[in-house]
Amino acid sequence: MKFPSAGPTVQMFLGATLISTSAVWVRVADVGPTVAGFYRMLFGAIALAVIAVVRGWPMWRDTRYLLRFLPIGAFFALDLFLWHRSIHFVGPGLATVLANLQVFVLAGAGVLFMGERLGWRFPLGLGLALPGLLLLVGVDVAELPADYQLGVAFGVGTAFAYSAFLLGMRRAQQNEDTLPPGVNVMSASVWVALFLAAAALVEGQTFAIPNASTAGSLVIYGVMCQGLGWFLMTRSMPVLPASIVGLILLLQPALAMVWDILFFDKPFGPLDLVGGTLVLAGIYLASRRNRREARG
């Protein structure tokens, strides 16, 4: 068996680490959740455009090609709309873990709409993730504050919206006339920015950036997480074994929990450790099944 060089593995690791900090920048930015999403897409699209120019990627096919990413952008906009609110209600760590339940949503979509079959890893992964999630959220959910329950609901909704976005991107990438992945993410980002700008106007939110700290947070969020993070991951995924990709992707929810504990003093006890471990193990099992079947 030929093992991959360190280059793609390191790039995948760095990309996942950068993206794992996303919720941190949302939490510390002194703007509304919808506006934070808008600036992520704006700065991210600019960063991806710069990368495309430097690498000589073609960035334009025609208007019809750009319109292909309109529904994809709509789902990603809904993803960020829900996720950013979940971050403020339940914290960066749990919000990111909930969003990564998209693994199970994608598996269900594969069975219902694409004729895929579930292997033994999926029910085992689900059986680990659900009790682990209950430990993370709180065993007696009904006794939790209303805002916390709403944040959990937003996080679960994020998983569904994110799944729809991933399915749309997967379909777009399978077309013969597709542009490079980074350019496709840039195209989707433009639509997301437009959708979120419209939502912010309806909500009456201001686009003003109140201070230098917020400006720095939003630039890092867009350039490093949306731009560089996605570039590194989409570049390295195709050349790495699925098992390595699955393990490295777990860095996103795992490190998000770490950042929540370190930067926001999130209480973390033995039950949280057990719950987090169970959820991550369940996500990993389900993601391995999905990627192996996708290759076959």
Side-chain angles (χ1 to χ4, degrees):
M1 178 179 178
K2 184 178 180 181
F3 290 92
S5 64
T9 305
V10 172
Q11 291 178 37
M12 184 76 185
F13 180 88
L14 290 175
T17 301
L18 287 172
I19 293 175
S20 76
T21 67
S22 296
V24 173
W25 308 116
V26 175
R27 184 70 177 268
V28 301
D30 191 17
V31 294
T34 306
V35 173
F38 165 76
Y39 279 116
R40 165 180 171 166
M41 291 297 124
L42 176 63
F43 294 138
I46 293 172
L48 287 168
V50 171
I51 292 173
V53 170
V54 171
R55 298 188 64 81
W57 292 340
M59 288 192 290
W60 179 256
R61 183 80 67 196
D62 51 39
T63 303
R64 186 175 180 179
Y65 188 91
L66 181 62
L67 288 173
R68 183 183 300 174
F69 292 90
L70 189 152
I72 297 172
F75 283 119
F76 202 2
L78 179 60
D79 170 349
L80 293 182
F81 185 90
L82 296 172
W83 185 52
H84 285 186
R85 284 157 175 79
S86 180
I87 290 168
H88 286 289
F89 285 140
V90 302
L94 181 56
T96 305
V97 169
L98 291 168
N100 277 272
L101 294 179
Q102 52 83 16
V103 167
F104 301 101
V105 179
L106 285 175
V111 172
L112 292 175
F113 305 115
M114 289 173 274
E116 295 181 359
R117 291 183 296 176
L118 298 178
W120 62 270
R121 285 183 173 84
F122 179 82
L124 178 58
L126 189 61
L128 291 173
L130 289 180
L133 188 61
L134 284 176
L135 291 175
L136 281 177
V137 173
V139 177
D140 194 352
V141 179
E143 297 298 321
L144 295 172
D147 284 352
Y148 196 91
Q149 294 184 44
L150 186 59
V152 171
F154 282 151
V156 174
T158 300
F160 282 90
Y162 188 40
S163 298
F165 161 72
L166 291 175
L167 288 171
M169 285 298 293
R170 175 185 176 187
R171 184 173 182 180
Q173 297 282 83
Q174 290 173 338
N175 291 315
E176 293 183 358
D177 65 341
T178 187
L179 292 172
V183 175
N184 290 336
V185 174
M186 181 189 70
S187 300
S189 299
V190 171
W191 287 115
V192 178
L194 292 174
F195 281 122
L196 292 178
L201 290 173
V202 171
E203 294 172 331
Q205 293 188 25
T206 176
F207 291 91
I209 299 177
N211 50 60
S213 174
T214 294
S217 298
L218 293 174
V219 169
I220 293 173
Y221 185 32
V223 174
M224 302 300 289
C225 300
Q226 179 66 16
L228 184 58
W230 273 91
F231 166 71
L232 291 172
M233 287 181 57
T234 56
R235 182 184 182 187
S236 54
M237 273 185 186
V239 297
L240 289 174
S243 57
I244 293 179
V245 171
L247 278 173
I248 296 178
L249 284 177
L250 286 183
L251 282 174
Q252 294 181 47
L255 287 178
M257 293 293 293
V258 173
W259 309 144
D260 204 355
I261 296 166
L262 291 179
F263 301 139
F264 304 107
D265 297 323
K266 175 182 172 60
F268 195 81
L271 289 180
D272 298 295
L273 179 60
V274 172
T277 302
L278 289 175
V279 171
L280 294 177
I283 291 174
Y284 175 64
L285 284 172
S287 65
R288 281 202 65 189
R289 182 209 67 84
N290 285 338
R291 290 188 178 88
R292 191 179 67 251
E293 287 192 1
R295 291 201 312 273

